[in-house]
Amino acid sequence: MNLLRLLSLLMLIEATAYGQSIPPVSAKLSGTHCLNDAEQKMATAINQYRKKQGLKAIPLSTSLSWVARTHVTDLSEHYEYGTSCNLHSWSENPAWSSCCYGSDHSQAACMWDKPRELTQYKGDGFEIAFYSTHDYANNQLFVEDALEGWKKSRGHHEVMMNRGKWKTATWEAMGIGANDQFIVVWFGEVKDAAGSPEICR
């Protein structure tokens, strides 16, 4: 399985998700950014899982979390299940380059470049994504479902755990975005000069 194919593996579960209130997002990062409850829980779950496997925790990134939040907002407004455009796609917007990310992976740069388009982050971004319309009782169950799905997907698991083609990657930044149906996680090899996000109050 090639590198680009690993990037685009998706977990699509047909199953209305637990409502999660998130602050509105604008097109560009300015100032601070905070994580909502589901995003906090997702970050904790991934790092706890990595630690159990003898891997270091990945520092949370304000910039990549902004990109992730922006993307789940965009997906909520524009994603159409069952089309050739998968969860790495971006709608038309003057703030970023749009793309229909398909199975041929010809639009991979559309993903990699998003941190630089939306923030001052200098490195590439690599995304894993989860979508569900299941009616979860709480955010923790939503997060656990996403993590279990990624564990069972070779491509997702290798990205999270630095295995396979990702063995030589050193993740220095991680961003989380979550709303009522989508969770996306962004990984980067460059430390984020913007530091870590705050906790939404």
Side-chain angles (χ1 to χ4, degrees), residues 8 27 35 48-49 51 76 103 114 120 127 131 146 151 153 180 184 201:
S8 66
L35 299 184
Q48 286 179 342
Y49 181 57
K51 286 180 179 179
S76 293
S103 59
K114 280 298 172 293
Q120 296 299 310
E127 179 186 52
Y131 167 59
K151 287 179 182 179
S153 164
D180 60 350
V184 302
R201 303 297 182 190

Side-chain angles (χ1 to χ4, degrees), residues 122-198:
K122 303 302 183 184
D124 289 343
F126 304 95
E127 179 186 52
I128 59 175
F130 178 87
Y131 167 59
S132 176
T133 57
H134 179 72
D135 187 9
Y136 296 99
N138 54 56
N139 291 333
Q140 187 61 41
L141 293 176
F142 186 29
V143 163
E144 289 174 359
D145 203 14
L147 185 59
E148 286 305 311
W150 290 332
K151 287 179 182 179
K152 294 174 183 176
S153 164
R154 180 179 174 184
H156 286 101
H157 196 250
E158 288 183 348
V159 174
M160 284 194 304
M161 305 304 291
N162 295 112
R163 294 180 180 174
K165 293 183 180 295
W166 302 97
K167 188 175 182 179
T168 59
T170 301
W171 300 136
E172 297 289 353
M174 179 173 67
I176 315 289
N179 58 21
D180 60 350
Q181 294 182 322
F182 300 90
I183 300 181
V184 302
V185 183
W186 285 71
F187 300 90
E189 293 187 89
V190 176
K191 291 182 179 179
D192 186 6
S196 299
E198 299 177 352

Side-chain angles (χ1 to χ4, degrees), residues 14-198:
E14 284 194 47
T16 294
Y18 179 74
Q20 301 165 39
S21 176
I22 63 171
V25 64
S26 58
K28 299 287 184 180
L29 172 61
S30 59
T32 60
H33 175 72
C34 66
L35 299 184
N36 65 35
D37 182 67
E39 292 163 349
Q40 295 169 48
K41 286 179 168 58
M42 188 79 261
T44 298
I46 289 175
N47 276 331
Q48 286 179 342
Y49 181 57
R50 284 176 57 87
K51 286 180 179 179
K52 288 179 181 178
Q53 304 299 316
L55 299 172
K56 73 168 189 172
I58 307 171
L60 283 170
S61 159
T62 292
S63 299
L64 294 186
S65 293
W66 177 267
V67 173
R69 174 77 63 72
T70 303
H71 198 199
V72 295
T73 301
D74 187 47
L75 289 169
S76 293
E77 295 173 356
H78 301 285
Y79 177 69
E80 295 182 25
Y81 176 73
T83 71
S84 60
C85 302
N86 68 33
L87 292 175
H88 300 312
S89 301
W90 289 74
S91 71
E92 292 187 11
N93 190 299
W96 58 70
S97 60
S98 63
C99 64
C100 172
Y101 198 117
S103 59
D104 65 357
H105 315 293
S106 63
Q107 299 294 322
C110 182
M111 175 204 301
W112 300 337
D113 292 344
K114 280 298 172 293
R116 289 183 290 272
E117 292 179 14
L118 296 172
T119 74
Q120 296 299 310
Y121 188 79
K122 303 302 183 184
D124 289 343
F126 304 95
E127 179 186 52
I128 59 175
F130 178 87
Y131 167 59
S132 176
T133 57
H134 179 72
D135 187 9
Y136 296 99
N138 54 56
N139 291 333
Q140 187 61 41
L141 293 176
F142 186 29
V143 163
E144 289 174 359
D145 203 14
L147 185 59
E148 286 305 311
W150 290 332
K151 287 179 182 179
K152 294 174 183 176
S153 164
R154 180 179 174 184
H156 286 101
H157 196 250
E158 288 183 348
V159 174
M160 284 194 304
M161 305 304 291
N162 295 112
R163 294 180 180 174
K165 293 183 180 295
W166 302 97
K167 188 175 182 179
T168 59
T170 301
W171 300 136
E172 297 289 353
M174 179 173 67
I176 315 289
N179 58 21
D180 60 350
Q181 294 182 322
F182 300 90
I183 300 181
V184 302
V185 183
W186 285 71
F187 300 90
E189 293 187 89
V190 176
K191 291 182 179 179
D192 186 6
S196 299
E198 299 177 352

